[in-house]
Amino acid sequence: MNENKKAPPDPQMKTAIIEKLKKGVIFEVANEEHALIAQRAGARAVMPLPDSSDSVKRMPDPKTIKGIFDAVVIPTIGRVRVGHIIEAQIMEKAGASIIDECEMYGKDKKRVKLCIDKTKLYGPSFFTAYNLGEVAKAIRTGASAIRITAEDPSGNNGNAVQIVSIYKSIIKEMGKLKGFIEKMKKLNPADPKYKSNKEEIESEIDDIVDEYKKEKDIMIKLACLGKITLPVFASNFVATPADVALVMQNGFDGVFVTDDVFENHMSSLRYANALVHAAAKYNDPVVLAQISEDLGRNAYGGGKSKLKPKPGFVPGLGLGLGPGPGPGPGPGPGPGPGGMPPGLPMGIFRIIG
């Protein structure tokens, strides 16, 4: 067998990997220690952050990806700039099982229109969406899941309520577009006003499509279906069990949380464990009340936590509720007999191997 031959990307495998992340929490981490805490807490995956001093927000150091890949058995996500296929390739080779094509903004705050052809990536990928056009773009370019964040193109930060609001606005946008499509179907060609009415409706549809001309057919298809056909994850500014429950109750498939969880070493495991359980028990207010107690100031907007562990709290045991409802430790860290298929990145093989 030609050792240089690359294994082709497998769409079914990509879907299966994303399925493992649903109903769970993905933690942004700065180092191996954070990744280990997240794994203990029941995280579905971890995403190493780029250097915080890097104003351009390039991809993380590949060495960081490799270190975290070696430290944990849950998937590692590599964040890259929109349209930067080389960063994505490097992240996959370094050990990232999943790519997060993250929208970055220049000084002019204009959207980057060039996107990675994600069908060429070995593993699945996330794409950030703020409106129906961006959702359609994600589908057109081969994304496996959508990430909705409250950080808008103007650079303003938000909160969990705004994330839900953005999601609902996308659903509302689909409903509006569907309404015009239904009106178009009801037009009678024999009506003297048929041409003018048709042109008026087409103009309304074009206003919704706006700059997303390439995505028009996909937008119309989504509108007719009345739903987003990719899994949708909430991202950023989801800081408490209540935030996690809020987005999950409103139809999100999973949650990204920032590395603020790890600001206080002594409480970080309990905090992370609470977020994981909130994703599983988002409809149970009794459990949510229990796990929301005494999480510290960093959980409720008061700056860094000074929380001390509760009496009887043992690091590694979290809330005493177990490791969380995550997928478990998963397969071992290396390939089985026969080795890794040629061309398949280690991060992908470890999940499916």
Side-chain angles (χ1 to χ4, degrees):
M1 181 181 290
N2 183 0
E3 292 298 320
N4 293 321
K5 185 178 179 180
K6 292 185 178 181
D10 183 346
Q12 291 184 336
M13 178 198 70
K14 293 181 179 183
T15 300
I17 293 173
I18 293 296
E19 283 295 315
K20 291 177 180 290
L21 305 184
K22 291 170 73 171
K23 305 302 179 186
V25 179
I26 298 165
F27 287 85
E28 295 181 355
V29 298
N31 51 49
E32 295 167 27
E33 181 184 7
H34 291 177
L36 285 167
I37 293 171
Q39 179 172 263
R40 280 186 177 184
R44 297 294 174 95
V46 291
M47 183 165 70
L49 294 171
D51 185 346
S52 59
S53 64
D54 186 353
S55 60
V56 182
K57 297 180 182 178
R58 297 177 177 87
M59 68 179 184
D61 187 333
K63 186 176 180 180
T64 302
I65 297 289
K66 288 179 181 177
I68 291 174
F69 172 83
D70 290 338
V72 299
V73 296
I74 56 178
T76 303
I77 300 175
R79 175 170 284 182
V80 304
R81 286 174 285 176
V82 168
H84 209 310
I85 182 63
I86 303 302
E87 284 191 349
Q89 291 170 349
I90 291 172
M91 288 290 96
E92 286 196 329
K93 288 299 182 183
S97 309
I98 302 161
I99 296 300
D100 175 42
E101 188 179 12
C102 183
E103 188 74 79
M104 300 296 181
Y105 301 99
K107 293 181 179 179
D108 59 359
K109 305 297 182 185
K110 290 183 179 178
R111 283 196 172 282
V112 179
K113 294 187 177 182
L114 176 65
C115 297
I116 295 171
D117 180 358
K118 291 168 278 293
T119 62
K120 295 181 179 179
L121 298 177
Y122 287 104
S125 56
F126 284 91
F127 187 80
T128 307
Y130 299 91
N131 55 43
L132 181 57
E134 292 294 311
V135 170
K137 183 191 289 184
I139 294 171
R140 180 177 65 81
T141 57
S144 305
I146 301 293
R147 195 163 61 85
I148 295 178
T149 176
E151 187 173 18
D152 62 32
S154 65
N156 296 322
N157 293 342
N159 54 50
V161 174
Q162 290 175 333
I163 293 173
V164 171
S165 178
I166 292 170
Y167 179 66
K168 287 183 178 295
S169 71
I170 294 173
I171 301 300
K172 185 177 179 180
E173 207 174 352
M174 287 192 290
K176 185 178 180 182
L177 182 55
K178 184 177 182 179
F180 288 123
I181 294 167
E182 293 298 327
K183 279 186 179 180
M184 184 77 79
K185 291 179 180 179
K186 293 178 181 178
L187 292 178
N188 183 359
D191 188 335
K193 294 184 178 181
Y194 172 77
K195 185 177 180 181
S196 61
N197 289 340
K198 182 181 178 182
E199 289 176 352
E200 183 179 345
I201 294 173
E202 287 177 341
S203 177
E204 295 284 2
I205 291 174
D206 287 341
D207 285 344
I208 294 175
V209 172
D210 194 23
E211 64 184 281
Y212 299 99
K213 304 299 182 185
K214 291 182 179 179
E215 288 76 32
K216 182 175 180 178
D217 289 345
I218 297 174
M219 293 172 72
I220 291 173
K221 182 179 179 180
L222 291 173
C224 292
L225 290 171
K227 64 179 183 179
I228 298 173
T229 55
L230 295 178
V232 182
F233 288 69
S235 175
N236 292 358
F237 317 111
V238 180
T240 69
D243 288 344
V244 172
L246 176 70
V247 297
M248 297 299 288
Q249 283 188 16
N250 279 278
F252 283 83
D253 294 293
V255 183
F256 284 76
V257 298
T258 68
D259 65 335
D260 292 345
V261 172
F262 306 106
E263 285 184 346
N264 183 286
H265 175 73
M266 294 301 291
S267 65
S268 57
L269 178 58
R270 186 156 62 85
Y271 191 173
N273 197 226
L275 297 173
V276 169
H277 277 85
K281 301 291 184 179
Y282 59 87
N283 276 324
D284 190 334
V286 174
V287 172
L288 293 174
Q290 176 193 358
I291 63 180
S292 296
E293 292 180 358
D294 296 327
L295 291 182
R297 294 175 63 201
N298 56 334
Y300 297 112
K304 292 188 177 182
S305 172
K306 296 181 181 179
L307 174 68
K308 294 182 179 179
K310 282 186 171 183
F313 171 71
V314 180
L317 298 182
L319 288 160
L321 300 175
M340 184 172 66
L344 191 64
M346 178 63 79
I348 304 300
F349 181 78
R350 188 164 72 182
I351 296 178
I352 65 171

